[in-house]
Amino acid sequence: MGLPVLIAAELRNLLEADQLDGLDVTWIGADEPTPAGGDWVAIVPLLTRWIGGTELKHLPQLRIIANVAVGYNNVDLVAAQMRNVIVTNTPDVLTDATADLTWALILACARRIPEGINLVRSGKWIGWHPEQLLGMELRGKTLGLFGAGRIGEAVGQRAVPFGLRILYASRSPKLRFEEETGAVRAGTGRLLQESDILSLHVPVTPETRGMINSDTLAVMKPGAILVNTARGELVREDAVALALETNRLGAAGFDVYADEPTVHPRLLVAPRTVLLPHIGSATRDTRRRMAARAIANVQYVLHGEPPVTPVFR
Ligand code: NAP
């Protein structure tokens, strides 16, 4: 009999049998509540499952929460620390996939790709016109990165061949990133004022929650593009919808939302949006690597070793 663990059922096809050696797995579907009262020693949840004080109380033998995401705002870290439960995430393995998708949104917004697709599909396209669907030329424009960690930097690296000037805001300077890309560190105010494209790459914290709101949108360049592949809670979606409706904001490309899977109804009908269903890390290779990383963390901890990617030490 292996060690009893709870694993999100949606990971079943992404895992190989040998990765689960020594584990007695109970699979839990996303729509099932977190079980209570068992002797499970590990849980491998998706980011859609909240694990707070109540869930931890109901799982008294738990030693590790191995979240299958780099973000961990679905876990009450204080409650976990109080119960000596280790929390891990899956950084690095999803950096390239998420940076690529961020670029898909930047390009889709700048070059009005959804409008073009809709025009062709509508049958109303009457041919080439010199002023049809004119977008934003990237070369010489400024890309603002709010957050220059793993994903923010990877987005910045990809900006160099497009000829963008890069500004970034983060708590600490990133000297190697600056040397490699010519990026310049800026305060939030300058980032908002000077960015033609503002892309968000910070976690949700008390300081960053709601940071894109009517006040900060008013400071942004008229016609700027806002891209969010980080977390929906960073943005006041009603304020973004208003900025789009009034043509203050040029376009918005979002992969994440404050109340997933619900999208703010005004954002759904606002003009010049590119709205994706949280697929930043959704490549087959990356999802396999995320699942493997989460299970590796479980195996290390259950064998008395430190986890590969702890959220706190
Ligand atoms: P990371 O490496 O931890 O980078 C976070 C960055 O945010 C760091 O540069 C950090 O600065 C900065 N930061 C934190 N608080 C800040 C503040 N108050 N002001 C300014 N900067 C601040 O994280 P990551 O791996 O790049 O992930 C970034 C985000 O992407 C996370 O929110 C994650 O949830 C999200 N994500 C989404 C998807 C998706 O499917 N759409 C996939 C993966 C990740 P320091 O470096 O100075 O600490």
Side-chain angles (χ1 to χ4, degrees), residues 47 69-73 91-92 94-95 98 101 146-153 169-174 185 188 200-205 207-208 228-231 234 255-256 278-282 287 290:
L47 54 80
V70 67
Y72 42 82
N73 46 313
D92 304 316
L94 41 58
T95 297
T98 310
L101 190 92
F146 197 82
R150 290 168 290 244
I151 297 169
E153 283 199 16
S170 71
R171 293 173 301 188
S172 53
K174 312 289 174 187
R185 188 162 174 237
T188 307
L200 309 182
H201 302 288
V202 289
V204 185
T205 65
E207 301 89 61
T208 61
N228 186 11
T229 58
R231 282 291 180 266
L234 301 174
D255 184 44
V256 287
H278 203 150
I279 54 169
S281 63
R287 288 287 161 82
M290 290 166 69

Side-chain angles (χ1 to χ4, degrees), residues 29-267:
D31 49 356
E32 291 175 57
T34 304
D39 52 1
W40 290 289
V41 290
I43 184 166
V44 182
L46 304 182
L47 54 80
T48 45
R49 181 174 298 278
W50 171 249
I51 311 245
T54 308
E55 290 74 14
L56 287 165
K57 203 167 111 194
H58 289 157
L59 295 169
Q61 303 302 322
L62 205 66
R63 289 162 60 189
I64 173 171
I65 303 165
N67 214 37
V68 189
V70 67
Y72 42 82
N73 46 313
N74 59 307
V75 178
D76 184 338
L77 292 189
V78 176
Q81 261 174 319
M82 276 169 59
R83 289 183 167 267
N84 272 329
V85 175
I86 291 169
V87 181
T88 62
N89 63 347
T90 62
D92 304 316
V93 293
L94 41 58
T95 297
D96 281 333
T98 310
D100 289 349
L101 190 92
T102 304
W103 268 94
L105 285 173
I106 292 172
L107 290 168
C109 287
R111 300 304 300 274
R112 304 175 63 180
I113 301 295
E115 288 167 85
I117 293 171
N118 290 342
L119 180 60
V120 172
R121 287 227 169 103
S122 73
K124 293 181 183 153
W125 180 41
I126 52 167
W128 194 89
H129 187 286
E131 287 191 303
Q132 190 167 65
L133 288 178
L134 301 184
M136 180 191 284
E137 181 98 16
L138 294 184
R139 188 161 297 278
K141 297 292 190 307
T142 298
L143 170 66
L145 301 169
F146 197 82
R150 290 168 290 244
I151 297 169
E153 283 199 16
V155 171
Q157 305 279 7
R158 285 156 174 73
V160 175
F162 284 101
L164 283 152
R165 165 181 172 249
I166 304 166
L167 291 179
Y168 74 97
S170 71
R171 293 173 301 188
S172 53
K174 312 289 174 187
L175 299 181
R176 190 184 44 83
F177 177 56
E178 292 182 13
E179 275 167 30
E180 286 170 1
T181 63
V184 173
R185 188 162 174 237
T188 307
R190 184 174 168 207
L191 197 74
L192 290 165
Q193 280 164 14
E194 295 188 20
S195 296
D196 297 289
I197 301 159
L198 180 65
S199 192
L200 309 182
H201 302 288
V202 289
V204 185
T205 65
E207 301 89 61
T208 61
R209 186 180 295 275
M211 52 163 287
I212 300 296
N213 52 46
S214 50
D215 292 338
T216 47
L217 284 162
V219 180
M220 285 177 70
K221 265 190 178 178
I225 293 169
L226 175 67
V227 170
N228 186 11
T229 58
R231 282 291 180 266
E233 293 92 330
L234 301 174
V235 170
R236 289 296 309 264
E237 290 165 354
D238 50 351
V240 169
L242 178 63
L244 289 162
E245 288 157 9
T246 55
N247 290 325
R248 184 71 181 67
L249 200 58
F254 286 0
D255 184 44
V256 287
Y257 308 89
D259 185 23
E260 295 178 11
T262 303
V263 178
H264 194 289
R266 260 175 85 185
L267 199 56

